[in-house]
Amino acid sequence: DVQFKMALVGAWRRTIPRELSKRVTVPRLSPTHTKVKIIRWLVPHGTSVVSYDPVLLVECSPDLVTEAFRDYKSQTLVMMVDTQDEGDLRIHHHSLGKNSNNEWLDVGTELGIIEDGEPIDGDWLWQAYKDEE
């Protein structure tokens, strides 16, 4: 009886999903979206983040939305990006602070890691909202 209970507990523990560290990348905010400029990080390097914490403010390339939905052809939108992962935000040195070079970064460019002590198993989950900066 005790061995049976221990077997059930052992099987249950193996099925509990473990949170793993995630790569923080430039998110693709629409099917046509290709680039962003980092305006600023909303939390500093090393900060512990949880789901729904705003972490990044970006300017999106005009291709975020089709031309029919823009006020003018070269219109860009500012978006605030929230994390859906938990851990310590480790920002790569090249993406810290304001983007002083005003450089466009490709979707998928790695910006950092949300570290929780486990191996990296993929890219972060995020949500984005239009910001009126």
Side-chain angles (χ1 to χ4, degrees):
D1 189 30
V2 172
Q3 286 180 335
F4 177 73
K5 287 180 183 176
M6 292 302 288
L8 284 177
V9 169
W12 179 73
R13 283 187 182 156
R14 284 192 296 275
T15 61
I16 296 173
R18 289 190 336 186
E19 293 294 322
L20 299 173
S21 298
K22 301 292 184 182
R23 274 184 299 280
V24 176
T25 57
V26 172
R28 179 178 307 277
L29 302 176
S30 78
T32 57
H33 183 226
T34 59
K35 298 185 181 294
V36 303
K37 290 181 185 178
I38 296 174
I39 296 173
R40 74 175 172 275
W41 288 91
L42 301 174
V43 295
H45 174 82
T47 300
S48 183
V49 295
V50 296
S51 291
Y52 302 103
D53 278 352
V55 295
L56 188 60
L57 202 59
V58 296
E59 176 184 0
C60 298
S61 52
D63 60 8
L64 175 65
V65 295
T66 59
E67 220 172 304
F69 293 98
R70 294 183 227 151
D71 294 334
Y72 50 93
K73 186 174 182 165
S74 61
Q75 180 184 13
T76 60
L77 296 174
V78 174
M79 302 292 284
M80 179 180 64
V81 183
D82 290 356
T83 183
Q84 295 300 298
D85 292 297
E86 299 182 2
D88 295 331
L89 180 63
R90 307 282 184 221
I91 303 168
H92 295 330
H93 70 280
H94 67 272
S95 60
L96 274 171
K98 283 197 169 252
N99 188 356
S100 58
N101 297 332
N102 214 20
E103 174 186 4
W104 287 103
L105 301 172
D106 291 330
V107 164
T109 300
E110 187 171 325
L111 303 173
I113 296 170
I114 296 178
E115 171 69 52
D116 73 348
E118 296 292 333
I120 296 172
D121 81 328
D123 293 343
W124 69 324
L125 298 175
W126 50 267
Q127 292 186 124
Y129 307 92
K130 184 176 177 194
D131 192 84
E132 299 296 332
E133 173 135 324

